[in-house]
């Protein structure tokens, strides 16, 4: 609700909606970094969404750089994802494989939409950055898990 209010105040509701749908739908399957408190999570989410929206607006000329990094991070997801959080119960290798295929399908769909369907540079950047941030979280968690 706070994020939506900020989007209305800053006249970025459509951009916010694109980021929200892309980010949340991938995060649900891929997992991500968790904060210890509600307030920590809220502040981190506001900062993350604000950063994605800000970069989408001011950095839309960097769309192709965002694309390169997003595709590179997607390769990491194919190799290492998903990283199941400690809070979730262990899942079988078979379910993890199904989850991985769902993530790959979802990310390929969003990459395709971002590259071939969306023509507005800001919106294209928003899709790519939402995917990139999710994939980077997965990479950070994988590195933590590997060193634990």
């Amino acid at each position: 609700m706070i994020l939506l209010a900020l989007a209305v105040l800053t006249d970025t509701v459509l951009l916010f909606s694109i980021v929200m749908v892309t980010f949340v739908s991938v995060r649900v399957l891929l997992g991500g970094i968790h904060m210890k408190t509600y307030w920590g999570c809220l502040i981190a989410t506001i900062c993350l969404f604000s950063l994605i929206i800000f970069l989408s607006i001011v950095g839309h000329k960097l769309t192709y750089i965002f694309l390169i990094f997003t595709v590179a991070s997607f390769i990491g997801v194919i190799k290492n994802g998903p990283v199941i959080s400690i809070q979730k119960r262990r899942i079988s290798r078979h379910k993890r494989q199904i989850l991985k295929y769902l993530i790959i399908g979802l990310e390929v769909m969003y990459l395709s939409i971002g590259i071939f369907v969306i023509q507005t540079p800001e919106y294209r950047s928003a899709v790519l950055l939402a995917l990139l941030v999710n994939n980077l979280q997965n990479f950070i968690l994988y590195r933590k898990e590997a060193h634990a």
Side-chain angles (χ1 to χ4, degrees):
M1 194 60 133
I2 293 173
L3 287 169
L4 183 57
L6 286 172
V8 169
L9 288 173
T10 58
D11 196 28
T12 57
V13 175
L14 184 56
L15 200 53
F16 165 77
S17 300
I18 291 169
V19 172
M20 178 67 100
V21 168
T22 307
F23 186 86
V24 172
S25 61
V26 172
R27 175 159 171 127
V28 166
L29 296 173
L30 188 60
I33 296 172
H34 293 274
M35 299 293 142
K36 293 182 180 179
T37 66
Y38 168 79
W39 291 106
C41 180
L42 181 64
I43 291 168
T45 302
I46 290 171
C47 291
L48 200 58
F49 274 57
S50 297
L51 179 65
I52 292 170
I53 291 170
F54 175 76
L55 287 175
S56 297
I57 293 169
V58 301
H60 67 270
K61 292 181 180 178
L62 303 172
T63 299
Y64 294 108
I65 293 171
F66 296 154
L67 176 62
I68 291 166
F69 281 111
T70 302
V71 170
S73 67
F74 177 60
I75 293 167
V77 168
I78 292 171
K79 183 179 176 207
N80 304 321
V83 176
I84 306 303
S85 88
I86 296 169
Q87 290 88 357
K88 290 186 178 181
R89 58 183 170 78
R90 298 260 181 229
I91 63 171
S92 70
R93 188 175 300 242
H94 177 69
K95 284 185 180 178
R96 186 178 177 121
Q97 213 46 35
I98 291 171
L99 196 55
K100 183 181 235 178
Y101 292 136
L102 285 171
I103 293 164
I104 290 169
L106 192 61
E107 288 212 23
V108 166
M109 180 189 76
Y110 283 133
L111 279 170
S112 299
I113 290 170
I115 296 168
F116 302 114
V117 177
I118 298 175
Q119 299 302 313
T120 308
E122 291 87 357
Y123 301 151
R124 180 180 288 158
S125 292
V127 170
L128 296 174
L129 285 167
L131 290 173
L132 178 61
V133 168
N134 266 314
N135 295 347
L136 289 176
Q137 286 186 42
N138 187 73
F139 176 75
I140 291 166
L141 289 172
Y142 177 76
R143 300 284 298 166
K144 277 185 172 180
E145 187 180 84
H147 289 104

